Amino acid sequence: MSTPRAAVIHDLSGFGRCSLTEVIPILSVMGVQCCPLPTAFLSTHTGGFEGFTFLDMTEELPRAAAHWRSLGLEFQAIYSGFLGSERQIGIVADFIRDFRGPDTLVVVDPVMGDDGKAYQTYTPAMCAGMGRLAELADVITPNLTEAAFLLGREYGDLLDGGRALHDEAALRRLAEELSLGGRRSVALTGAALAPGQTGAMCFDARTGRAEAVQAAFVAHPLHGTGDIFSSVLTGALMGGASLRDAAAQAVDFIHACALRTVAQGLSLREGVDFEPLLGRLVPR
Ligand code: PXL
């Protein structure tokens, strides 16, 4: 069987594990050839570091895409995450329209923010554009903050102002609502069915059903777990897993990485210490 290929459209942050420094090793170890289109080069990610450098790659993206088109490249998956400018939303949308074949899996992680707040480089116009881009996806992987942005709701009002935080039916309704009437699958991250747990609520557009996957919550704010989740999910889906099984693999892997990171007392802004555990993702 030939090695499946994915176009991965994320930033490259030199220090502080996230985006391409997670996406490439994870997909590679899962048997996927990664073709990166970096949206920006940063010295570090934007969460918890001051004074980071930011090189916007907007001009380069359409040029690289045009070259790939001239080569006749085909991708089994297109997976996008953190974007570097508002204009990149249209560029990524064009890329998806141009390169999507009948069997291409399109995963849009609508990276915009966390804990109710947008990331430092995200403007309201970028967040609105991310919602339009996510309409092209087969699968989206928002956290609860991004879910609120996508639905145009206040984060504080989501899940009944926190009262429905651990309410399975409310989380299921939220995932269904994000599916645009069942047209796309949703893996809603940070969904906890009870205190002391965390995981994802998955609405599968293929079955029309929503199911949760859970693991014990490691009570530390950890950076870059959303990108690990979406990367493992994408790799597992490309390997033929169901949405639920792909999400379960991602949640279990993050749990193991989080335990290892916290046990070592690593600085949380450095992201989770996932590299020594990559072997767990090798397909059996
Ligand atoms: O993990 C999301 C992410 C990706 N890329 C950059 C970020 C963040 C979150 O802060 O700053 C550059």
Side-chain angles (χ1 to χ4, degrees), residues 2-278:
S2 63
T3 302
R5 185 186 292 151
V8 293
I9 312 171
H10 292 253
D11 70 281
L12 178 62
S13 288
F15 185 74
R17 303 169 179 94
C18 73
S19 37
L20 285 178
T21 59
E22 296 179 331
V23 175
I24 296 174
I26 288 172
L27 285 179
S28 297
V29 85
M30 296 179 84
V32 174
Q33 179 196 359
C34 277
C35 303
L37 277 180
T39 56
F41 168 68
L42 297 86
S43 51
T44 67
H45 62 68
T46 68
F49 292 101
E50 299 293 327
F52 52 84
T53 68
F54 185 104
L55 177 66
D56 180 350
M57 302 283 268
T58 303
E59 300 301 329
E60 206 61 14
L61 294 182
R63 288 160 37 84
H67 184 223
W68 285 2
R69 240 185 332 270
S70 77
L71 298 174
L73 295 188
E74 292 178 5
F75 299 100
Q76 281 68 53
I78 301 169
Y79 162 33
S80 74
F82 181 99
L83 300 185
S85 70
E86 188 184 341
R87 204 147 64 77
Q88 286 184 8
I89 286 152
I91 292 169
V92 176
D94 286 346
F95 185 94
I96 292 171
R97 289 190 197 99
D98 284 357
F99 284 90
R100 177 180 234 162
D103 299 320
T104 307
L105 170 71
V106 177
V107 178
V108 174
D109 184 1
V111 174
M112 291 185 270
D114 210 352
D115 295 323
K117 293 190 295 287
Y119 293 132
Q120 288 187 56
T121 56
Y122 269 70
T123 61
M126 277 177 80
C127 293
M130 196 59 107
R132 293 192 299 277
L133 180 64
E135 288 177 18
L136 300 177
D138 298 309
V139 182
I140 61 167
T141 55
N143 59 29
L144 289 169
T145 301
E146 291 152 354
F149 290 167
L150 290 175
L151 295 171
R153 300 227 196 103
E154 286 296 323
Y155 178 65
D157 295 343
L158 208 68
L159 297 170
D160 197 17
R163 278 186 294 277
L165 207 54
H166 303 304
D167 179 338
E168 184 168 357
L171 288 163
R172 178 171 287 134
R173 276 196 301 279
L174 198 52
E176 283 168 1
E177 208 180 329
L178 287 159
S179 76
L180 302 177
R183 276 191 285 128
R184 65 183 176 195
S185 292
V186 178
L188 177 64
T189 62
L193 300 191
Q197 296 184 6
T198 190
M201 176 60 84
C202 303
F203 173 84
D204 189 337
R206 294 197 173 168
T207 62
R209 284 216 311 270
E211 270 182 280
V213 293
Q214 297 285 281
F217 179 55
V218 177
H220 271 278
L222 293 165
H223 203 274
T225 52
D227 294 330
I228 294 184
F229 178 88
S230 303
S231 299
V232 176
L233 185 92
T234 300
L237 290 174
M238 290 180 79
S242 67
L243 184 73
R244 188 234 158 252
D245 289 353
Q249 189 178 2
V251 166
D252 289 347
F253 184 68
I254 292 170
H255 177 69
C257 297
L259 285 179
R260 196 187 145 82
T261 306
V262 172
Q264 292 179 86
L266 293 182
S267 158
L268 302 179
R269 66 184 187 177
E270 286 187 35
V272 290
D273 188 41
F274 72 98
E275 295 89 346
L277 300 181
L278 277 171

